[in-house]
Amino acid sequence: MIKFVTLSGFAVLNGQEELIMEQLIAFLTGSCLASFIVTMTQRHLLEMGPSSPRSLCDHCAHPLAWWQLIPLVGFALQLGRCRWCKKAIAPWSSVCELTCGTWLALYTPLT
């Protein structure tokens, strides 16, 4: 339960809410790290640079929009299919993001 909002605009959380917020931050951090590692591994194996060219669909090579690159969210919003060619997106990256995010949320020492 949020007790009150301070003059600076930040909410003061009780112990349970603070714990949930820390776990959420750990989950998001783990998901982002997994996304980065998977992307850099794929780019290394394909002998591409770390930042160029932009991320592309594996099937039709259409450049991906920024929202399609958000870990787990992009896959879910597209229902596991490319927005342009409608072919299935391999779930490997999303599985890694979910696994690493969950692992970090469960095993990060919290205050």
Side-chain angles (χ1 to χ4, degrees), residues 16-31 100-111:
Q16 183 68 23
E17 290 170 341
E18 187 175 332
L19 202 62
I20 291 170
M21 191 63 96
E22 287 177 1
Q23 287 178 322
L24 178 63
I25 290 170
F27 177 81
L28 294 174
T29 302
S31 295
C100 290
T102 302
W103 182 82
L104 199 61
L106 292 176
Y107 297 109
T108 298
L110 303 173
T111 58

Side-chain angles (χ1 to χ4, degrees), residues 1-19:
M1 163 174 65
I2 295 176
K3 293 182 179 179
F4 62 91
V5 177
T6 63
L7 293 176
S8 64
F10 293 103
V12 177
L13 305 175
N14 67 18
Q16 183 68 23
E17 290 170 341
E18 187 175 332
L19 202 62

Side-chain angles (χ1 to χ4, degrees), residues 21-79:
M21 191 63 96
E22 287 177 1
Q23 287 178 322
L24 178 63
I25 290 170
F27 177 81
L28 294 174
T29 302
S31 295
C32 289
L33 285 172
S35 178
F36 176 76
I37 291 168
V38 168
T39 300
M40 290 300 109
T41 302
Q42 287 174 341
R43 286 177 173 270
H44 177 73
L45 293 174
L46 295 173
E47 298 178 359
M48 298 169 62
S51 62
S52 68
R54 290 183 52 188
S55 295
L56 307 169
C57 171
D58 293 333
H59 305 288
C60 66
H62 194 283
L64 300 178
W66 66 268
W67 60 269
Q68 294 170 309
L69 302 176
I70 301 172
L72 299 171
V73 175
F75 186 84
L77 289 176
Q78 298 179 101
L79 303 173

